[in-house]
Amino acid sequence: MVAPDAAAASLAAYRAAAAQDPRFAPHALDALERGPALGEGGMGQVVVAKDRRLGREAALKVIQPDLVDPTVIRRFEREAEVMARLEHPAIPPLYEAGTDARGQRYLLMRKVAGEPLSLVLRRLRAPAGVRAARMPDVLDALARVAEAVAYAHGVGIIHRDLKPQNVMLGRWGEAMVLDWGLARRHDEDAPTQDPGLTREGETIGTPGYMPPEQARGNPVGPPADVFALGAILCEVLTGHLPVEGATAVNRLLATIDGRIARPRDLRRDTPPELDSLAAAALALDPAARPTAAAFAADLRAFLRGEPLAAHHYGRRERLVRSARRRAGALLLALAVTALVGGAAAVTLRARGAQAAAEEGARLAAEARDALQRAMDLLAEADVLVARGAPARDVLGRVDAALAEGRTRFVLWAAAGVCLRTEQADRARDLLVESVDRFPPGLRELGLLHRLASSGLAGADTTVWLERLLAARAAGVRDALTCYAVGVDAGVRGDWRAAERAAGEALELDPRLAWAWELRAGARLHLGDPDGAEADATRALELEPWLPSAWQNRATARLRLGRVEGAVADLDRVIGLAPTRPEAFTSRGNAYVHLNDPTRALQDYDRALNLAPGHPGAWKGRGVALARLERRDEALEAFTRAIEADPDDADAWRNRAVLRDRLGDPAGAREDLDRTLALRPDDAAALELRGVARAVAGDLAGAEADWTRALEIDRSRANCWSNRGHARLLRGDPRAALADCDRAVALAPDSPDARYNRAQARLALEDLPGARADLERFVEVAPTHPKAANARAQLERLRMSR
Amino acid sequence: MPGRTLVTLAIDDLVRELERLPEEGFVEAARDVVHGRVLAPRSLEPYQFFSTRHYTRNLIFKNDLFELLALCWEPGQQSSVHNHRGQQCWMMMGLGRLENLNFRVHDRDEVARTCRLEPTSVIEITRDQAMSVDPDEPVHLIRNVEAWGERALSVHLYSRPFDTCEVYCPERGIYMDVQLSYWSTHGRPCAPGR
Ligand SMILES: [Fe+2]
């Protein structure tokens, strides 16, 4: 722990040293105009800086002034030295390094417009892996990163902290490798020039991307960066890191233990060649990994459809590769195989037992081969998806694979390919076939349920849910059945049980996005929007195609007052499921919050096009129209909302306010009675009804309503002021004054409160007090209907003195 | 370690030996004691309490100067990443073996209570190789490696006794104080919650 005075001394020493360091000579940083933050690393803050002399924008990285740990300062200097040595299109150039007048060190480098790969991966992650259409772009970017790393290795520099957060994808397709703060030279003879900084045994990096030798604290060389490239490739291909573990510590321990997966372990349909490349880069033995240059070359070969050095092509694979160049011939051959297989099955029954056994073995081998061929075809289909090929070509491979044999495994994998080509209906059909023909597959049932309940394919939500619950009743307790129990509880309105069951599911499988989503929904119902937002975010990190998770997060954000974030989420819902009226209604509500009733109205109208009786949309429409002063139409909308849902107290109350404004106090009064019958504790409605009763001359009734409203909510200044006025009229000026005092205390500039208190004070002959209130009243509300009266009273007070 | 003879002794004898050490120079003397002794496993039986949920902390002896604990680990159990803040800490094995991971703390911000952790070394603690926590790098994690498949009991000597330690959460880059509690004291299980 650094004591404050030690820190101050250290800071002074650091400034003195900085002032003498020629590389960091004082520099007029006033030429730079600091803009918004670009991001914050472990040790520095990066902001946009505009160079007024040159009129260009740059990225300015500064050390936080309170970070005076000398290793931080030396790492910062090291970053400057390293970046100055690197000149490559995928490494941002360093413009300048310096020290400002306050002794704060800074680096000025090119500002990279774009977004980090981590964000791209999160956003584009389809059910698993990067959404197919963008795969070639991401692989191309990764090849550029590998080339930049190869270049750095060539000039003797290791990055040591490669990860998607440190890779920026630019608007023009460029990729940039950032954050060289942890880099070191590997060509220096040990011991290094900087014993404190690169002390033997130091390891730096991020668990999940760091190789075992780094995790153990052993010295690292260029292969450490290659391991990180392999880990990033694995994440790109499968959506998962090659190292398992919910926490950084557990990932670190798994790395030390050498528990490192290859992409195919995580996702069966990974293209075999890329699987081999990632596995080679992730080798436990640093010497067995390819160089960064070889890694880049193999990625490029894959993108061109050429053979990869890291992949060993078996005989059949070579045959398949050449056969696929003649795709028509292949399909014909497959059809022949299927026919022969059928004939063999028929003749089998006619033979003797010995012959049957031999035949059985031969058929089993054939089935195995057929499965292998089917999986090869599906892998190829996924490659086509990745390369952005037309859906027709992809589905041709899927059909060919299915023709090899419609086993449960093939059906599941084929459904996955269909989902990635956005053929949700086709995926559903394959899953239904699987569920019909094979013993209950929980993952198939779960996916069918999700497809139906998110409106992507099918409408038979309850069927699949019931089958999952049946499996649970039969004793299967896994994440999916726990999830099903939670969904069922939610359907019954028992949100506590739903939250609990979702939690159980997540304990069993924290990657089950649906369970995060379910718990988000439950927490919304339980009045925990913070928890709901966090859960929905987790769901979306895992499965960004879940429209309902976006919807839940939007609802949570609306409750938390983060309206703009909610609108962004709702845009996603609408993009994913444009037939959900709730999404349009919610976005309309958000626009009302943002005071944009015109756009809100458009959304409500779209919701009503989809669902003509949608009560929320009618109600929202009424609010938006009222804001636009289109009161007659607003009245109509509230009436429709009430017809659609007569139990909606808000709709009744809204109509009451409108009727009152339209000069229909009796109608307003009726609506308020209905509101209060539905929701007796609605303080706002009580206050309004009190006003209606007072206007109708029922002062005692009015006072009763206001008293009740104040019991519920003591902060209603108008209510205090109104009741004070009523009490004065009933001849109790002392009680009136007490109420008006409360009103003025809560809202010192409320004209009504001041006026009413002045009247009470006059009645109690507190003339100076009354005068002060009246003066304040005419000052804050010179055009108030009662202003003339107030002026007359003031005149009389002055005369009587 | 070749060329070194280690004396086997019962845990009670270790306590007595430590109790005799003068307060001045305790740290140096205690280090010599710990590194020169092997514990008799039978003598530790009263302190063996294993839990399937978490490793357990079992108090053997405590005075103002030092505290002696037996920690019992099922295979696969691990501690959090933590710090003893100026405390001296030594470990010797009674049963099995453990792995110790050391970390260095970077960019520590006392106000925001954030930091970054970087692993620096992995050390195996065995019956004939006791360990002293490096006072320069006192942040560590201990685990009983699952693949080893055997239970472990380690005896920890702390000076001076603390009842809190600092636990790091590398996920969020934050650290916080955590209250420590015993699973048993002097061979008797504690009521839950203490
Ligand atoms: Fe410890």
Side-chain angles (χ1 to χ4, degrees):
Chain A
M1 225 177 286
V2 182
D5 47 348
S10 169
L11 181 61
Y14 151 59
R15 282 183 178 155
Q20 285 167 8
D21 186 334
R23 291 168 306 170
F24 290 90
H27 175 271
L29 214 57
D30 1 313
L32 292 175
E33 192 179 308
R34 293 192 192 190
L38 276 172
E40 205 150 335
M43 64 172 191
Q45 198 193 11
V46 186
V47 298
V48 178
K50 185 156 186 187
D51 188 331
R52 287 203 209 95
R53 297 165 308 177
L54 302 170
R56 82 177 160 188
E57 280 200 337
L60 176 70
K61 186 169 183 172
V62 290
I63 308 188
Q64 312 226 350
D66 47 347
L67 283 177
V68 290
D69 180 348
T71 63
V72 172
I73 294 159
R74 262 179 289 159
R75 276 220 309 277
F76 199 75
E77 291 168 1
R78 169 53 60 95
E79 182 170 11
E81 283 172 18
V82 164
M83 290 192 68
R85 277 174 72 128
L86 297 173
E87 250 182 74
H88 188 274
I91 300 170
L94 181 68
Y95 293 151
E96 213 173 297
T99 307
D100 75 0
R102 286 176 302 153
Q104 193 176 47
R105 288 187 188 201
Y106 69 89
L107 302 178
L108 196 64
M109 51 201 145
R110 178 191 291 166
K111 184 188 144 210
V112 183
E115 52 186 358
L117 176 59
S118 51
L119 203 70
V120 175
L121 288 182
R122 209 181 306 158
R123 198 156 38 74
L124 296 184
R125 206 169 287 155
V130 173
R131 185 188 292 172
R134 287 292 301 272
M135 183 71 99
D137 297 349
V138 176
L139 290 178
D140 181 70
L142 190 54
R144 285 162 195 262
V145 169
E147 281 154 4
V149 170
Y151 160 80
H153 290 173
V155 297
I157 285 166
I158 327 169
H159 187 287
R160 295 205 296 174
D161 197 18
L162 287 174
K163 54 184 168 183
Q165 291 94 308
N166 286 342
V167 172
M168 201 67 143
L169 300 189
R171 225 180 313 159
W172 317 113
E174 72 271 35
M176 286 277 180
V177 185
L178 307 183
D179 206 347
W180 294 81
L182 301 179
R184 58 173 278 190
R185 294 176 56 175
H186 68 79
D187 56 355
E188 289 163 3
D189 290 332
T192 58
Q193 313 160 324
D194 258 343
L197 186 60
T198 52
R199 206 175 66 112
E200 196 60 37
E202 182 183 25
T203 63
I204 274 172
T206 304
Y209 303 97
M210 72 161 73
E213 69 269 22
Q214 198 172 0
R216 289 186 159 273
N218 296 334
V220 300
D225 284 345
V226 176
F227 184 95
L229 291 170
I232 298 173
L233 177 58
C234 178
E235 198 179 2
V236 165
L237 293 171
T238 68
H240 301 292
L241 283 170
V243 182
E244 205 182 5
T247 65
V249 168
N250 286 338
R251 285 195 294 279
L252 183 81
L253 296 175
T255 307
I256 290 173
D257 294 344
R259 287 182 272 129
I260 291 156
R262 54 190 296 162
R264 280 211 138 184
D265 302 339
L266 302 166
R267 208 179 126 164
R268 280 304 308 165
D269 52 2
T270 304
E273 293 134 309
L274 293 180
D275 175 61
S276 300
L277 178 58
L282 293 167
L284 293 180
D285 176 6
R289 295 174 204 148
T291 63
F295 184 91
D298 262 2
L299 273 182
R300 293 256 177 252
F302 178 80
L303 288 168
R304 286 192 303 266
E306 290 164 9
L308 276 66
H311 185 63
H312 173 71
Y313 292 87
R315 199 175 65 86
R316 189 171 59 218
E317 220 171 338
R318 282 199 301 274
L319 286 175
V320 171
R321 277 179 70 83
S322 64
R324 280 179 196 168
R325 294 198 195 101
R326 300 167 275 120
L330 175 72
L331 285 178
L332 187 66
L334 290 171
V336 171
T337 314
L339 283 174
V340 171
V346 173
T347 50
L348 184 61
R349 294 193 204 103
R351 300 212 186 145
Q354 171 68 32
E358 279 170 20
E359 196 59 27
R362 194 180 64 78
L363 284 178
E366 269 181 16
R368 215 167 39 236
D369 286 352
L371 176 62
Q372 183 59 52
R373 282 193 299 276
M375 293 317 291
D376 280 350
L377 282 161
L378 288 172
E380 199 187 19
D382 237 10
V383 174
L384 288 176
V385 172
R387 293 178 185 179
R392 179 168 32 87
D393 296 355
V394 177
L395 293 177
R397 300 297 194 285
V398 171
D399 288 338
L402 291 166
E404 290 282 352
R406 303 175 85 89
T407 63
R408 181 176 165 204
F409 201 66
V410 171
L411 288 168
W412 174 256
V417 175
C418 291
L419 273 181
R420 286 186 287 283
T421 22
E422 294 176 9
Q423 307 272 334
D425 284 317
R426 185 84 203 279
R428 177 186 174 275
D429 292 344
L430 294 169
L431 293 167
V432 169
E433 181 184 336
S434 172
V435 168
D436 285 348
R437 288 185 33 216
F438 299 101
L442 296 182
R443 55 180 192 179
E444 283 89 352
L445 293 173
L447 187 52
L448 278 165
H449 170 67
R450 282 308 311 172
L451 287 174
S453 61
S454 42
L456 290 170
D460 34 12
T461 322
T462 48
V463 181
W464 312 121
L465 184 63
E466 272 161 19
R467 294 189 64 169
L468 280 171
L469 290 171
R472 168 68 169 236
V476 183
R477 188 179 170 278
D478 76 342
L480 274 169
T481 55
C482 288
Y483 160 77
V485 168
V487 171
D488 188 47
V491 170
R492 286 183 283 104
D494 184 352
W495 293 107
R496 286 250 164 259
E499 188 191 26
R500 209 165 40 235
E504 270 176 54
L506 291 170
E507 252 173 47
L508 293 164
D509 179 7
R511 296 196 162 272
L512 187 62
W514 314 333
W516 288 109
E517 187 200 344
L518 171 65
R519 199 169 72 177
R523 288 180 162 176
L524 273 179
H525 282 274
L526 295 169
D528 174 12
D530 279 309
E533 196 200 12
D535 283 350
T537 302
R538 286 297 300 267
L540 292 169
E541 279 167 12
L542 294 163
E543 308 277 7
W545 56 276
L546 288 175
S548 37
W550 291 105
Q551 174 84 48
N552 279 343
R553 193 169 76 175
T555 310
R557 286 178 161 181
L558 279 177
R559 299 235 179 112
L560 293 165
R562 289 189 221 127
V563 185
E564 266 138 30
V567 170
D569 285 351
L570 291 165
D571 289 344
R572 293 296 302 259
V573 182
I574 289 164
L576 288 165
T579 55
R580 288 167 75 101
E582 302 82 31
F584 287 108
T585 304
S586 304
R587 195 170 65 179
N589 295 346
Y591 281 134
V592 168
H593 271 281
L594 292 171
N595 213 5
D596 188 348
T598 314
R599 288 175 90 167
L601 205 55
Q602 287 169 3
D603 275 348
Y604 294 130
D605 286 346
R606 281 151 90 182
L608 290 170
N609 272 336
L610 292 165
H614 196 275
W618 280 116
K619 185 167 70 177
R621 195 164 192 276
V623 173
L625 287 165
R627 290 269 179 97
L628 292 165
E629 304 283 324
R630 287 155 65 177
R631 289 183 183 161
D632 290 319
E633 289 167 82
L635 187 65
E636 162 75 13
F638 286 133
T639 304
R640 297 291 297 269
I642 289 167
E643 282 165 14
D645 181 4
D647 291 338
D648 184 347
D650 279 329
W652 286 105
R653 195 178 79 191
N654 284 340
R655 194 172 74 173
V657 173
L658 203 61
R659 282 181 146 179
D660 185 54
R661 287 212 199 129
L662 286 165
D664 175 10
R669 173 71 198 277
E670 266 171 43
D671 284 352
L672 288 169
D673 285 343
R674 290 298 296 266
T675 310
L676 288 163
L678 289 165
R679 204 162 56 196
D681 286 346
D682 185 334
L686 282 164
E687 183 180 327
L688 285 168
R689 194 173 66 179
V691 173
R693 283 176 156 177
V695 169
D698 174 11
L699 279 186
E703 203 183 321
D705 276 347
W706 291 328
T707 301
R708 177 88 192 98
L710 289 169
E711 278 164 15
I712 298 160
D713 178 3
R714 302 187 65 77
S715 68
R716 305 190 77 86
N718 270 333
C719 220
W720 288 109
S721 163
N722 285 339
R723 193 176 74 173
H725 188 61
R727 287 180 161 179
L728 183 68
L729 293 177
R730 284 204 300 108
D732 187 351
R734 289 211 175 278
L737 182 61
D739 280 353
C740 292
D741 280 341
R742 292 294 295 264
V744 172
L746 286 164
D749 284 337
S750 158
D752 285 329
R754 290 279 180 185
Y755 183 84
N756 289 343
R757 189 166 75 173
Q759 304 311 310
R761 282 176 161 174
L762 281 173
L764 293 166
E765 303 202 343
D766 170 11
L767 301 184
R771 185 169 164 182
D773 279 340
L774 286 168
E775 279 169 350
R776 186 88 192 116
F777 171 72
V778 294
E779 191 185 330
V780 294
T783 59
H784 194 280
K786 288 172 181 163
N789 190 28
R791 287 196 189 91
Q793 286 179 338
L794 273 172
E795 197 56 33
R796 276 201 296 282
L797 285 171
R798 285 189 197 112
M799 303 257 288
S800 67
R801 200 169 52 171
Chain B
M1 204 173 271
R4 204 158 59 110
T5 36
L6 299 171
V7 180
T8 302
L9 81 177
I11 187 73
D12 293 348
D13 296 330
L14 179 74
V15 170
R16 236 168 283 140
E17 207 170 327
L18 290 169
E19 259 189 304
R20 273 203 300 270
L21 298 178
E23 188 166 342
E24 193 153 333
F26 178 84
V27 168
E28 293 70 25
R31 182 189 309 120
D32 291 343
V33 169
V34 166
H35 283 276
R37 307 286 184 274
V38 178
L39 291 168
R42 291 289 301 269
S43 71
L44 290 161
E45 274 170 13
Y47 309 107
Q48 280 187 35
F49 293 93
F50 286 91
S51 160
T52 51
R53 298 165 64 89
H54 199 269
Y55 72 90
T56 64
R57 300 175 84 247
N58 306 285
L59 181 70
I60 299 170
F61 178 87
K62 183 176 184 173
N63 64 18
D64 287 347
L65 193 56
F66 71 92
E67 179 180 42
L68 205 58
L69 291 170
L71 270 60
C72 300
W73 314 74
E74 291 281 6
Q77 290 183 336
Q78 69 197 51
S79 74
S80 55
V81 180
H82 63 278
N83 185 3
H84 293 285
R85 281 186 306 193
Q87 239 184 339
Q88 296 287 334
C89 172
W90 301 271
M91 274 171 268
M92 17 190 348
M93 295 309 302
L95 282 177
R97 54 189 166 143
L98 290 172
E99 192 174 77
N100 176 78
L101 280 75
N102 287 325
F103 295 86
R104 186 174 309 150
V105 180
H106 291 274
D107 310 343
R108 187 173 166 129
D109 182 334
E110 291 294 338
V111 180
R113 295 187 73 77
T114 60
C115 66
R116 284 178 59 182
L117 281 184
E118 279 143 18
T120 51
S121 59
V122 181
I123 296 163
E124 199 174 310
I125 319 163
T126 56
R127 276 183 49 75
D128 52 7
Q129 186 60 64
M131 198 193 99
S132 308
V133 172
D134 181 351
D136 292 333
E137 247 161 56
V139 178
H140 68 153
L141 171 155
I142 299 168
R143 64 165 175 161
N144 183 2
V145 176
E146 186 150 29
W148 293 343
E150 56 173 341
R151 287 179 160 184
L153 182 151
S154 52
V155 172
H156 296 230
L157 170 63
Y158 297 106
S159 176
R160 305 193 166 241
F162 274 2
D163 58 359
T164 63
C165 77
E166 229 176 20
V167 169
Y168 293 86
C169 179
E171 290 316 301
R172 293 182 289 160
I174 60 170
Y175 57 94
M176 52 201 152
D177 287 337
V178 167
Q179 187 77 27
L180 296 170
S181 62
Y182 302 120
W183 188 266
S184 73
T185 56
H186 311 296
R188 274 190 302 279
C190 300
R194 171 63 212 137

